[in-house]
Amino acid sequence: DPTAKILGRLTLNPRSHIDLWMSILIPIMTYVSSAGTFIFGGAKPVPVDTFNLRDGIKDLALVSVVGPLTNVALAIIAALLTHLFYPGFGFYEAAGSDLGGFILTQIVRWNLLLAIFNLMPIPPLDGSRLIALLLPKKEAAAYLSLGSGPFGFMILLFLLFFPLGGFSLMGIVGNLIDLSLRLLGF
């Protein structure tokens, strides 16, 4: 799919990747609303045109899973290196041992967080494209349209920071990270 190239997004120039909502407004809102303890943001999503794919929604789901799988692969590699260089250390022991341990464990933690976060079935995250595979075409299009513009991220941020009826999305993400760390031998 040449869409990213056509739109000038195959560049290391950060200006091409800045998004008003994800790069400016949401980081400011999360920083202010958390009293300076948390900041969250991102860049423009990678543009993909389903008309350039052979099987539309199915291929879009495959494209969407590549990012989270890359994060999982990086987390596994960093975990293996942590076990190699810090044998017998737990995750937090390795993190507090020296700069190398800290860097390796942060690579593990952040890549697990990104993989889990991106696989959430909330548009416009990658997990929503996997869920769209299970829906009829009309419903899949309506579901994915929730992710256009800032609406999907506003829903996501609300669910992350404001638990509803005992349901905490942040708690689920934390539990999944803990489970993933155990699976990685920590």
Side-chain angles (χ1 to χ4, degrees):
D1 177 24
T3 305
K5 184 177 183 179
I6 291 168
L7 295 176
R9 295 286 306 284
L10 294 183
T11 178
L12 294 176
N13 181 352
R15 283 188 275 166
S16 300
H17 307 289
I18 292 174
D19 177 72
L20 175 65
W21 278 95
M22 285 302 299
S23 306
I24 299 168
L25 297 177
I26 288 178
I28 290 169
M29 291 185 322
T30 55
Y31 183 79
V32 170
S33 67
S34 69
T37 60
F38 181 75
I39 191 167
F40 173 79
K44 287 180 186 174
V46 176
V48 176
D49 187 348
T50 55
F51 291 110
N52 291 325
L53 304 175
R54 279 182 242 170
D55 195 2
I57 299 274
K58 180 180 160 192
D59 287 346
L60 183 60
L62 289 173
V63 168
S64 297
V65 81
V66 170
L69 285 178
T70 301
N71 292 124
V72 169
L74 290 170
I76 290 170
I77 292 167
L80 290 171
L81 290 171
T82 303
H83 289 302
L84 178 69
F85 293 120
Y86 303 91
F89 280 54
F91 185 80
Y92 297 103
E93 292 171 315
S97 64
D98 61 17
L99 183 61
F102 177 77
I103 290 171
L104 285 172
T105 55
Q106 291 307 302
I107 291 170
V108 172
R109 180 194 313 267
W110 284 104
N111 277 287
L112 289 175
L113 175 66
L114 287 170
I116 291 166
F117 182 77
N118 279 318
L119 286 173
M120 283 191 227
I122 301 170
L125 299 177
D126 293 327
S128 64
R129 293 184 186 100
L130 298 174
I131 296 297
L133 250 180
L134 306 173
L135 300 172
K137 271 191 175 183
K138 187 176 179 183
E139 286 79 5
Y143 173 64
L144 291 174
S145 73
L146 291 174
S148 60
F151 185 67
F153 273 105
M154 292 304 206
I155 292 171
L156 180 65
L157 288 174
F158 183 81
L159 289 173
L160 280 171
F161 296 110
F162 302 101
L164 298 171
F167 172 78
S168 168
L169 196 54
M170 190 68 86
I172 291 172
V173 170
N175 289 336
L176 289 171
I177 289 173
D178 290 343
L179 173 66
S180 299
L181 288 173
R182 283 196 295 276
L183 290 172
L184 290 172
F186 293 109

